[in-house]
Structure formats: structure tokens, C-alpha cells
Amino acid sequence: MHLLQPHLHTRRAFLQRAGQLTLAGTALPTALNLAALGEAAAATATDYKALVCVFLYGGNDYANTVVTFDPASYARYAAVRGGTGEAGGGIALARAELERTLLKPQQALAEGRQYALHPAMTGLADLFNAGQAAVQLNVGPLVVPLTRAQFNSADRKTYPLPPKLFSHNDQQSIWQSSSPEGSTVGWGGHLGDLALRSNAKSLFTCMSVTGNAVFLSGESALQYQVSTGGAVRVRAATDNAVYGSRAVRSLLSDMISEPSAHPLENEYVRVMQRSREAEVHVAAALAGSQSGARPLLTEFPTNNPLAEQLKMVARLIQGRDVLGAKRQVFMVSLGGFDLHDNLIAQQPVLMGRVSEAMAAFYRATVELGVAQNVTAFTASDFGRTLTSNGDGSDHGWGGHHLVVGGAVKGGAFYGTPPPVSVGNTNAPQDQWHVGQGRLLPSTSVDQYAATLARWFGVGPQELGGILPNLRQFGAVAGRTDYPQDLGFMV
């Protein structure tokens, strides 16, 4: 029996409860909108599980992240990318530098294909080779499975494309919600909708350490935002003075705490009270005051904004009992990946931060005894072109991503290794490319998300309500070459 029961996806009880607070939820600022739902009625999950989305904003360059290494493929990669940066201004990485991050899968890839991670990603390479991380090859948004001929077809009714390909904002939204910019519900939020009853304090089901993002917005579940320093304080209720005045502070405190005869004002006060209570709960969880937990000992790298966010996620997971959480979805992010220029100079810093932060986070889950219960995964707007624009790469489509955790079937590649080509001919090696080395995804985001959702506890009958395009994939659509479960989770 699945931990998230099938009847939950109807959400009638959730929507009925949420409907009573709709006006308050849409009228209030984000900071005051965090506690707009009451607590969940009862728990259905008996264990703990968390998913952590690590979003790389800007569109990460796939070809210099998971780098083709076998001699034949590497030679084509270096030629397309104009040689190595040291050799003459190209954007290929030197093969000798890749030896320290060579990935050694438990089962060799066909045709002698080999990959290495970016030389700055030693931490994640070590996790892969130890079996705690996996690589999903060539994943990106798809509405239906596509060949290159179908992509080039004028029949968009039979072969629809994801809307607004190559657009940053829209592809970020499509990755997070299956819809372009303007979407209001993400698939992480949908998981939160299903998980609300598993948590004694439903507000802490979907938690962001990176600000507002559609990924964590559900139909009933709201994203609770924290900073790397903890809960966002309601300053009018906690500061000694506001604008330097104790009188102003006292007046504002009265305004946000005194009941009112006006329905909207009274609801505003109720929401503010919930926000203040939530702040207390988060502070207690982080302090370990109710659980007696010792301080988190895992060292996280300094001067690394992603590591600071993931450290906060680890501390929130440590305080899960105080937060009343059995199922949680988190989001963190790092920006700066839109490298049309200075790819060779800037990507090492970014990839080093990703690797160091995710490796430290995995070590923290081991320390907390929840490595089997927490899975982190990367996502990004899109991959980029294999071809160089001179000093960087341009917007693409499919890309390679990493999944990390004790429940990951690690030390393995999943999906189809794409041939190294630019897609400018009708030759077989060009069939997974749509020009300039942009990858036509051989795995959809819906498949990727469904694999994570199944591990989280979502039943097969519930997946269609979370991922609208999933019905086009898997045996139900007669596409066993596009399975709904990609197999990288236990």
C-alpha cells in the first residue's frame, strides 16, 4: 500500500478548507501568506522522506558538466567545441584534467562510452563512484516522445513541442510545473498536496530556502520560505523598535494581533498569528530545544551560497520532529549559469560550488541517519549548445542531471548516451540533435519527476494528476522505450 493514499489526490477536504481562506491568501503579502492553511488532520506516513530540488538557474552547460571521455567521443567533442581553452580559445575541457573525475559505473556503457564530471566536481564524482549518486542522461521537457523528423514536422497537433523553447523564464517554469511562465502550481507543490495529511504541521510540507518558486506551490500546500539564517521574522512583532520608534512598534504589534469585527481584518490577524507561531516552531526546530538534538557537526564549505542553503535544509530535517514532518519537499538554487561568455573561466566556480555543497549535504544526511530517506536532484532551465559561440554556449534543450542519496541506485547512468554531434545532417549520429548540438531529450522531465515521486510514496494512479504529460509515456501509451519509472531509485 502506498504511503500517500489514492483518495488524497481528489483534495476535496483540502480544497474545501483552503477555499475558506482564498481571499486572505491572495490579498496578503507573501511574508504574511505563509500560514494560510490549518494543520493537517492526521498522519498517514510512518517513516520520513524528503526530496530536495537543486535548481541551477540560467541553463547549465551539459557538455562541460558530464563530459564525454572515451577517446573517440572526446575527439569529436573537442573538435566541435573548438579545442581546449588553453590550446586556442575553445571551450572544451582538457582530457587530462578529467581523469580525476572519471566516472566508473558498476556496469560499463555500450560501445565503450565513458564520461567524467567537470574537473571541479570531485565531491560528486566520488559519490558516484561510491554508489550514492547517479547520472540521468539527456533529460528535458517533452509533451510527447519525439524523433528529429517529428520535431521538424509541421504537424504540431500530432507532435506538439513544449511551449516557448529556449526561453529562460518559460523553461524554468516548465521544468518546475509543466507549464510556461505564469503557472501557479508546481509538481513539488502537488507532492505537497498529497503529503499534507502525513504531517502534523502541514505548513512545513513545502519549504524554500531560495525565495518564491512555482515548483513548491500546490493547490492546497503553500511554500514556507526561510532564509539561510532561519525563519523570516515578523519584525513588527519581534523588534524592539520599528523605524527607530518603540511607539510605532507597539502600534503595529497591536494592529497585527488584536481581533477585529471586520472579517478581512480578523482573518489578517489570524494569519499573522499563524506566521508568528510558525516562526517559533522553526526556531525551536533549529535550536533542537524540543528534540535534544546535538549540533550538526558536518562541515559545509564557506563562501558558497548553495552550501548555506543546503545546510539550512539539513538543519530543518534534523528538526523534523519539532516541525511535525513525515514528508517534505525542499528547494534550493544557484544562479549564474547563463554563460554565453566566459564559460571556461566561470563554470569551474559554479560547478565546484554545486559539487561541494551537494557532497556536504549528503554527508550531513549520513550524520543524521537519514541518508536513505533524503534524495537531492539537480534541474535547470535547459542544456546548452555543444557548439561554441566563441567564448561560451547558447540556449539548448536537453541536458544531463545528477541524483544523490542513499536510496539512489548509484554508480550508474540512466537514459540514452547521445552521440557527440551538432545535428546538421541526416546521419544516424545526428538524430538526437536539433542543430548546434542542442539535445533533443530522450527522457522527459515528467519521467524524471515520476521516478522521484514514486519513491516519495505517490501511487501510479496519482501520478497523472501531478504530471499532466506523463500519460504520453510508458506502457500506458505503448512507449516502453520511454518508461514512466527510469529505475534510478530503489
Side-chain angles (χ1 to χ4, degrees):
M1 185 174 76
H2 290 279
L3 296 175
L4 305 181
Q5 302 299 321
H7 69 276
L8 292 182
H9 198 248
T10 65
R11 306 188 186 89
R12 287 182 182 172
F14 298 143
L15 292 175
Q16 182 179 14
R17 181 179 58 185
Q20 299 169 354
L21 297 173
T22 297
L23 179 59
T26 56
L28 296 178
T30 300
L32 305 183
N33 194 18
L34 299 177
L37 289 179
E39 303 305 344
T44 58
T46 58
D47 61 349
Y48 176 80
K49 285 186 178 180
L51 283 171
V52 184
C53 176
V54 180
F55 206 92
L56 311 180
Y57 280 105
N60 184 37
D61 185 280
Y62 77 88
N64 279 12
T65 300
V66 181
V67 192
T68 188
F69 184 82
D70 58 279
S73 298
Y74 178 85
R76 291 192 291 272
Y77 151 87
V80 172
R81 303 219 108 180
T84 63
E86 298 85 353
I91 59 170
L93 297 168
R95 191 167 185 270
E97 294 183 1
L98 297 168
E99 291 179 358
R100 65 178 179 269
T101 50
L102 178 62
L103 300 180
K104 303 170 184 176
Q106 297 172 8
Q107 183 174 348
L109 291 171
E111 300 178 352
R113 292 296 299 274
Q114 291 179 294
Y115 288 98
L117 294 185
H118 190 285
M121 301 178 73
T122 54
L124 283 176
D126 289 344
L127 285 181
F128 180 98
N129 291 332
Q132 284 94 42
V135 172
Q136 177 62 54
L137 296 166
N138 193 12
V139 57
L142 288 171
V143 179
V144 298
L146 287 175
T147 65
R148 188 180 175 204
Q150 292 164 347
F151 168 80
N152 290 326
S153 169
D155 184 1
R156 293 278 75 96
K157 182 175 181 181
T158 305
Y159 306 117
L161 301 180
K164 301 183 179 180
L165 281 172
F166 318 128
S167 159
H168 282 294
N169 292 348
D170 293 291
Q171 295 309 300
Q172 290 164 9
S173 182
I174 287 171
W175 257 94
Q176 296 179 28
S177 71
S178 302
S179 297
E181 187 176 23
S183 177
T184 58
V185 180
W187 61 267
H190 274 312
L191 293 179
D193 290 334
L194 294 175
L196 287 178
R197 285 186 59 196
S198 296
N199 296 332
K201 297 180 177 69
S202 61
L203 182 58
F204 305 120
T205 303
C206 296
M207 302 191 75
S208 172
V209 199
T210 187
N212 189 45
V214 69
F215 174 71
L216 290 179
S217 295
E219 292 181 9
S220 299
L222 300 178
Q223 54 181 307
Y224 185 87
Q225 298 177 31
V226 301
S227 72
T228 55
V232 179
R233 294 185 302 125
V234 181
R235 296 188 59 189
T238 58
D239 285 3
N240 290 327
V242 175
Y243 300 120
S245 169
R246 292 180 179 271
V248 172
R249 185 267 185 199
S250 179
L251 178 62
L252 286 175
S253 182
D254 290 344
M255 290 174 62
I256 65 176
S257 60
E258 291 184 355
S260 169
H262 191 285
L264 183 58
E265 290 181 0
N266 203 44
E267 189 58 45
Y268 190 99
V269 170
R270 290 175 58 193
V271 171
M272 178 59 70
Q273 289 173 341
R274 293 190 188 101
S275 298
R276 295 171 66 179
E277 291 169 1
E279 181 184 341
V280 171
H281 282 299
V282 171
L286 295 177
S289 59
Q290 295 183 28
S291 63
R294 60 181 173 82
L296 186 66
L297 300 178
T298 300
E299 291 187 8
F300 281 76
T302 58
N303 300 317
N304 182 330
L306 183 61
E308 293 172 2
Q309 294 172 51
L310 285 172
K311 183 177 182 179
M312 177 52 61
V313 173
R315 293 179 63 199
L316 291 166
I317 290 173
Q318 184 182 27
R320 62 193 179 279
D321 291 339
V322 178
L323 298 178
K326 295 291 186 181
R327 289 289 185 275
Q328 289 183 287
V329 186
F330 295 93
M331 184 169 179
V332 297
S333 72
L334 185 66
F337 290 89
D338 191 21
L339 295 176
H340 295 274
D341 303 294
N342 300 315
L343 176 67
I344 289 295
Q346 295 185 22
Q347 196 187 26
V349 176
L350 296 170
M351 302 321 299
R353 287 174 175 171
V354 171
S355 179
E356 291 173 357
M358 294 186 73
F361 180 70
Y362 176 76
R363 292 193 297 272
T365 64
V366 173
E367 177 191 341
L368 297 174
V370 294
Q372 294 286 335
N373 308 85
V374 179
T375 301
F377 62 96
T378 63
S380 190
D381 317 15
F382 36 64
R384 303 186 78 84
T385 58
L386 182 62
T387 58
S388 170
N389 63 15
D391 197 25
S393 55
D394 295 322
H395 297 181
W397 191 351
H400 307 321
H401 287 283
L402 289 143
V403 188
V404 178
V408 176
K409 295 179 183 177
F413 297 94
Y414 295 86
T416 303
V420 181
S421 69
V422 294
N424 293 336
T425 74
N426 291 321
Q429 67 266 23
D430 281 350
Q431 295 311 303
W432 288 113
H433 302 80
V434 293
Q436 296 181 274
R438 290 187 175 99
L439 292 181
L440 172 60
S442 53
T443 298
S444 74
V445 172
D446 292 70
Q447 294 169 272
Y448 187 59
T451 305
L452 294 163
R454 284 175 182 268
W455 172 80
F456 194 67
V458 177
Q461 67 273 31
E462 299 164 327
L463 288 170
I466 296 173
L467 302 161
N469 297 321
L470 190 64
R471 66 183 183 275
Q472 304 293 345
F473 302 89
V476 66
R479 295 305 301 258
T480 56
D481 53 337
Y482 286 81
Q484 289 191 359
D485 190 331
L486 299 173
F488 57 73
M489 299 299 298
V490 298

